[in-house]
Amino acid sequence: MGRGRLRIYLGAAPGVGKTVAMLDEAHRRLERGTDVVVGLVETHGRPHTAQLLDGLEVLPRRVVTHRGATVDEMDLDAVLTRRPAVALVDELAHTNAPGSRHEKRWQDIDELLDAGIDVISTVNIQHLESLNDAVESITGIVQRETVPDEVVRRAEQIELVDMSPEALRRRMAHGNVYRPEKVDAALANYFRVGNLSALRELALLWLADRVDEGMGRYRADHGIQSTWPTRERVVVALSGGAEGETLLRRGARIASRGAGGELLAVHVSRADGLAGPDLPRLAQQRRLTDELGGSFHTVSGDDLPDAVLDFARGVNASQVVIGSTRRARWSTLLSPSTTEEVIARSGDIDVHVVTHSFAAGRGWRVPAPGLPGRRVRLGYAAALIGPVLLTALLTLLPTDPGLPLTVPLYLLLAVLVALLGGIGPALVGAVSSSVLLNWFFTSPVGNLTIAEPVNAVALVVFVAVAAVVAFVVHRSARRAEAAIDAQQESAALAELTHTLLGSTGQLSLLLDRAVDMFGAEEAVVVRRASAEHAEEVVARSGEVGAGGALPASGDVARAEADDAHDLVLVGVRLPADRRRLLAAFATHAGAILQRQALQRSVGEATALARDSTARTALLSAVSHDLRTPLAGIKAAIGSLRSTEVIFSAEDEAELEAAIEESADRLDVLIGNLLDMSRLQAGALVASPRPVDLGEIVPAAVAGVGEPERVTWSLDPSARLVLADPGLLDRVIGNIVENAVRHQPRPGTVRVATSGLGDRVQVRVVDTGPGVPEDGRDRIFLPFQRYGDAPAGDGVGLGLAVARGLAEAMGGEVSAEQTPGGGLTMVVDLPSAAAVHDEGGS
């Protein structure tokens, strides 16, 4: 038994007729003899929809009670037991009531499909997960119920139930969608014409993409390589040159002429990695592609025309935009240009050739870098001297070597000259060698006249072979130079990246490496001048700070780091072949600047959020905790001043005690608030000195609300600590007060001291509810009530203040579990006895 098939009716909005279409399909299948049951269909009180249920088997629903309300859900087990051929399950994105087997209805449907049952369902476009944020921006309403796109994509059939916005609004006005009392509000809000038009477009485009995916699978399965122009896709071929922006804008205009047009930019990088584009320019073209609504792609290949056309056929593109060649016209006579090759191989793809200011004959084209000048000069010298020396050597031989030996020797000399100086010296050497061959070794000797035609052909072939070999050798030498440069650049960038990853001062390290790499006097990052400010140095090599200005004169090399900054090398004249490496360094610098800006933003946002949370918690706590004792004081004083009631002496004493207790609570609260504010501001100054715990602990215990519930004992060897007496009293008092609040009656809280090396620990032990291990750090956060005070009592500062005050004295406060249950607070302080012993010794 195979998996069942899923069919989905997709709509742009409620009321377009999805459920009606589903029920019509059920009746058609039932008439053909198919076993169809209704697992769950929502009629929403619409009479026409309810009528379509007549004649269909409807399974009873499962009733779920949640928070006092009853909810009807599909009885999944009943459908599985009934096992029909087709089950109707409405509202694919629905969230099931708590306690159901699955959280979502689409998961119920998935189980039905696994059981071999075909399912027909419905869903609106706003419930698709990928479009949730888009729908919210259009309608202003957050859709709580969503379904993963992949669930809908797996459907065997997706049928769009479409309706124009005007028709849907008329249907609503007639009361066919919502009850009359809801119609006006719906038409004025969610069901506005603009909203419905946008949702309809989303539904059409989403379904069009799914159809396009299906067509792509079909073409791949059937090996179809030709283009099917179902949608106007325009591929713009980018070389990384300056003409790229012109090509992108022209491609965008072509794509916009057809409905659903799509712009795709493709850059072909060489597979050998020896040649590369201008990286900042290519990044700028990538940004422009995004702004034009297109997508940017990079493919690898040595054959540029084939790579571009393979990509175009792979995306089923109908048109390719390419720039006119930048090669000189004479060079195209020797080999066709990339543009000509794309046209020749395009087949059924239209090719648009766009002219630009950098095309051949329309601007100065910088020649490709050749070999170093010193090698070229040596090559010319060898081309002039080498043939003369070889001729002298051959003429001194006792016998005539003959052309079969002489010609290969001169050819070998041309190859050696090509290796040394490139194609120019090689051609000079070949011509001079041919003249010497003709004069000294071709009959008649001593004359440039050639008697035998075969010798003339041999000399022409010699020059041609020498030229071809020289060209190949020259090209190989240039490729070798490029390979060495690329290897050096890659090694430098790899080392730089590896070094930066483990460094804290990344920008200064990068600038120092730039100085070493390029031999500059200084490397700086500058903020470009604008209308608001002049050019400003933000970072310098070899310095932590910044500031200052660039030298007014001298050699500088500059590359763009980001939209606002440049990387500048001072005191160096950079050759063209090193500009690409400088651009890579600048890109690294831009990334570091962006990361630093993000880190500052995160830090500022975190601080603002922390301050906001603290203020909110403080206001919430103060609004209750300060008002409660104030209200108690006011009520007691009001009672004492009242002339309507005569209180006995005992009642007056009780009211006075209440006033005193409330005032004490206010004093503690205000003291903690002030201490916390000083701690957070860093304004608290502790003055540690030797203190006897025998004086601090009894006083701190006596200050709690119920001192009779606290017992204490001090280890004679662990009495002297190094602390601030006033702060230590607050620390122990806050911790003991917290423990008393959580200690079940009639139990008591125990305070004990013990020595541990050069430290003294004060332990406050209770047997209350305790705190889980993962929550013990949170109880020390400001304004936390968990583990600090019962709900509604105290601003949650007791333990936070205790830890802060202890740390200000060089101590620590931590929490441990009490054996048998409860919480033990440990105050760890330096031992004054140990300090005294060290000083005495």
Side-chain angles (χ1 to χ4, degrees):
M1 179 182 61
R3 180 177 168 87
R5 293 172 298 180
L6 175 62
R7 178 170 183 170
I8 294 176
Y9 286 95
L10 175 68
V16 295
K18 303 180 301 299
T19 304
V20 170
M22 178 179 66
L23 292 172
D24 287 340
E25 176 65 19
H27 281 287
R28 283 192 294 271
R29 297 198 183 197
L30 190 63
E31 291 172 359
R32 295 196 300 264
T34 305
D35 183 16
V36 180
V37 302
V38 176
L40 185 142
V41 167
E42 298 288 358
T43 65
H44 298 289
R46 299 164 189 166
H48 178 64
T49 306
Q51 290 174 5
L52 289 175
L53 289 173
D54 295 342
L56 297 175
E57 180 183 352
V58 180
L59 295 179
R61 300 189 184 189
R62 180 173 58 90
V63 179
V64 179
T65 302
H66 178 61
R67 293 182 178 178
T70 58
V71 182
D72 292 339
E73 296 287 358
M74 181 181 70
D75 194 336
L76 178 60
D77 292 327
V79 180
L80 291 171
T81 302
R82 172 64 176 75
R83 199 171 195 79
V86 179
L88 282 83
V89 184
D90 208 359
E91 298 185 355
L92 181 67
H94 173 74
T95 302
N96 292 328
S100 301
R101 184 185 310 175
H102 301 297
E103 180 185 359
K104 292 287 195 175
R105 185 167 290 165
W106 65 262
Q107 294 171 317
D108 295 338
I109 292 175
D110 206 43
E111 186 171 344
L112 295 177
L113 296 173
D114 287 338
I117 301 172
D118 293 347
V119 177
I120 304 176
S121 188
T122 64
V123 70
N124 282 327
I125 193 68
Q126 65 262 33
H127 295 300
L128 295 181
E129 184 67 44
S130 66
L131 300 177
N132 189 256
D133 55 345
V135 173
E136 180 185 354
S137 64
I138 292 170
T139 64
I141 298 175
V142 180
Q143 299 294 333
R144 302 296 182 187
E145 295 185 328
T146 59
V147 58
D149 290 44
E150 185 59 30
V151 174
V152 183
R153 286 196 186 101
R154 289 200 301 260
E156 195 79 14
Q157 281 183 274
I158 304 175
E159 184 171 336
L160 180 65
V161 182
D162 190 30
M163 179 175 288
S164 68
E166 294 76 12
L168 179 56
R169 285 171 61 87
R170 284 196 300 270
R171 176 179 287 185
M172 291 192 61
H174 295 156
N176 296 329
V177 179
Y178 292 152
R179 292 194 300 273
E181 63 271 16
K182 293 185 177 182
V183 170
D184 291 338
L187 291 174
N189 293 282
Y190 189 88
F191 288 86
R192 296 195 300 267
V193 173
N195 287 358
L196 296 177
S197 298
L199 293 174
R200 187 187 189 196
E201 183 177 4
L202 281 178
L204 292 170
L205 290 176
W206 189 89
L207 189 60
D209 287 338
R210 305 292 77 74
V211 173
D212 193 59
E213 290 175 1
M215 186 185 66
R217 288 193 297 268
Y218 178 85
R219 294 176 69 240
D221 293 342
H222 292 78
I224 299 173
Q225 299 295 328
S226 60
T227 300
W228 286 6
T230 55
R231 180 189 292 192
E232 206 66 65
R233 286 189 177 88
V234 180
V235 171
V236 178
L238 299 175
S239 65
E243 75 280 0
E245 294 187 10
T246 302
L247 302 184
L248 284 170
R249 291 190 171 92
R250 181 63 59 87
R253 289 196 295 270
I254 295 173
S256 64
R257 292 170 186 167
E262 188 176 350
L263 176 68
L264 301 98
V266 59
H267 169 70
V268 181
S269 62
R270 292 182 62 91
D272 55 17
L274 298 183
D278 187 330
L279 297 180
R281 180 176 292 156
L282 198 62
Q284 184 177 357
Q285 293 173 7
R286 183 189 294 270
R287 290 193 295 269
L288 179 59
T289 303
D290 294 336
E291 293 172 2
L292 294 173
S295 57
F296 192 96
H297 306 266
T298 301
V299 297
S300 178
D302 286 326
D303 192 321
L304 269 64
D306 276 349
V308 170
L309 292 173
D310 287 345
F311 174 81
R313 293 190 179 97
V315 298
N316 197 29
S318 55
Q319 303 185 62
V320 169
V321 176
I322 191 169
S324 55
T325 181
R326 292 184 292 174
R327 291 171 53 185
R329 290 189 177 90
W330 64 265
S331 68
T332 59
L333 299 176
L334 302 177
S335 63
S337 65
T338 300
T339 302
E340 293 169 340
E341 289 289 342
V342 169
I343 295 173
R345 306 178 198 177
S346 61
D348 55 354
I349 299 177
D350 297 336
V351 180
H352 299 266
V353 180
V354 179
T355 187
H356 49 84
S357 58
F358 301 93
R362 298 197 59 183
W364 176 258
R365 181 172 179 265
V366 179
L371 298 176
R374 182 172 177 273
R375 284 184 56 178
V376 175
R377 289 191 294 271
L378 289 175
Y380 278 113
L384 296 174
I385 299 173
V388 175
L389 294 177
L390 179 60
T391 303
L393 178 64
L394 292 176
T395 55
L396 294 176
L397 294 176
T399 59
D400 183 9
L403 287 179
L405 176 61
T406 306
V407 171
L409 289 176
Y410 279 101
L411 184 61
L412 175 61
L413 179 62
V415 171
L416 294 176
V417 171
L419 285 172
L420 178 61
I423 189 170
L427 290 176
V428 172
V431 172
S432 61
S433 296
S434 66
V435 172
L436 293 173
L437 268 171
N438 185 16
W439 184 272
F440 289 98
F441 302 104
T442 304
S443 179
V445 177
N447 195 322
L448 293 179
T449 303
I450 301 175
E452 298 181 13
V454 174
N455 291 338
V457 173
L459 286 175
V460 172
V461 171
F462 166 77
V463 174
V465 170
V468 172
V469 170
F471 175 77
V472 172
V473 171
H474 173 78
R475 187 176 180 182
S476 299
R478 284 182 52 198
R479 295 288 291 274
E481 291 285 338
I484 293 172
D485 290 342
Q487 182 182 14
Q488 291 176 347
E489 291 181 10
S490 299
L493 292 176
E495 180 188 0
L496 177 64
T497 303
H498 178 74
T499 307
L500 290 178
L501 287 175
S503 171
T504 53
Q506 294 183 339
L507 189 56
S508 60
L509 176 62
L510 181 138
L511 295 177
D512 292 340
R513 288 308 310 262
V515 170
D516 297 337
M517 178 65 65
F518 298 102
E521 297 176 1
E522 186 182 26
V524 298
V525 174
V526 300
R527 181 182 292 108
R528 288 194 291 272
S530 64
E532 293 80 14
H533 55 76
E535 186 173 72
E536 176 188 0
V537 176
V538 299
R540 291 181 179 272
S541 58
E543 296 183 15
V544 178
L550 292 175
S553 61
D555 294 328
V556 295
R558 183 184 293 258
E560 180 181 343
D562 58 21
D563 293 339
H565 299 86
D566 288 340
L567 173 63
V568 181
L569 301 179
V570 180
V572 63
R573 181 173 296 178
L574 208 61
D577 57 351
R578 301 281 280 175
R579 292 279 178 180
R580 198 156 63 97
L581 184 59
L582 176 61
F585 268 76
T587 302
H588 272 288
I592 294 172
L593 290 171
Q594 185 178 14
R595 183 163 55 250
Q596 290 177 348
L598 290 175
Q599 288 173 346
R600 287 193 297 269
S601 299
V602 169
E604 293 171 359
T606 302
L608 289 174
R610 184 173 60 249
D611 292 343
S612 177
T613 302
R615 282 194 297 269
T616 302
L618 177 60
L619 291 173
S620 175
V622 169
S623 65
H624 175 271
D625 297 320
L626 291 183
R627 290 169 65 182
T628 300
L630 284 174
I633 292 173
K634 184 177 180 180
I637 292 176
S639 299
L640 289 174
R641 296 183 61 185
S642 174
T643 58
E644 299 178 358
V645 180
I646 299 176
F647 294 97
S648 63
E650 293 80 4
D651 293 336
E652 289 181 356
E654 185 177 349
L655 290 172
E656 291 169 353
I659 293 173
E660 184 178 9
E661 181 182 354
S662 297
D664 290 340
R665 287 188 59 191
L666 273 177
D667 182 62
V668 172
L669 289 172
I670 294 173
N672 281 337
L673 287 171
L674 292 175
D675 287 340
M676 181 53 60
S677 65
R678 286 196 294 268
L679 286 170
Q680 292 180 339
L684 183 71
V685 178
S687 301
R689 58 183 178 82
V691 177
D692 187 354
L693 289 176
E695 300 175 358
I696 301 296
V697 172
V701 170
V704 302
E706 298 177 273
E708 67 278 2
R709 298 183 57 201
V710 182
T711 62
W712 54 274
S713 61
L714 303 180
D715 186 341
S717 62
R719 290 174 60 103
L720 291 177
V721 296
L722 200 63
D724 185 304
L727 299 185
L728 182 58
D729 180 80
R730 299 292 302 279
V731 170
I732 297 178
N734 279 359
I735 294 176
V736 172
E737 181 72 29
N738 180 77
V740 170
R741 291 180 181 178
H742 291 86
Q743 175 65 41
R745 296 177 184 276
T748 58
V749 173
R750 293 184 294 108
V751 180
T753 65
S754 59
L756 186 64
D758 59 349
R759 310 288 291 184
V760 171
Q761 292 185 341
V762 180
R763 293 178 175 271
V764 181
V765 183
D766 69 61
T767 56
V771 177
E773 185 175 358
D774 58 357
R776 290 175 192 165
D777 286 334
R778 293 199 302 272
I779 63 177
F780 294 103
L781 296 177
F783 312 114
Q784 293 291 313
R785 298 183 186 279
Y786 178 68
D788 183 25
D793 187 15
V795 293
L797 285 175
L799 296 183
V801 168
R803 170 172 278 188
L805 296 179
E807 290 176 350
M809 297 183 293
E812 297 177 359
V813 177
S814 59
E816 299 176 355
Q817 182 179 2
T818 300
L823 189 69
T824 297
M825 303 298 298
V826 182
V827 183
D828 188 283
L829 296 166
S831 172
V835 174
H836 177 73
D837 291 343
E838 291 177 3
S841 62

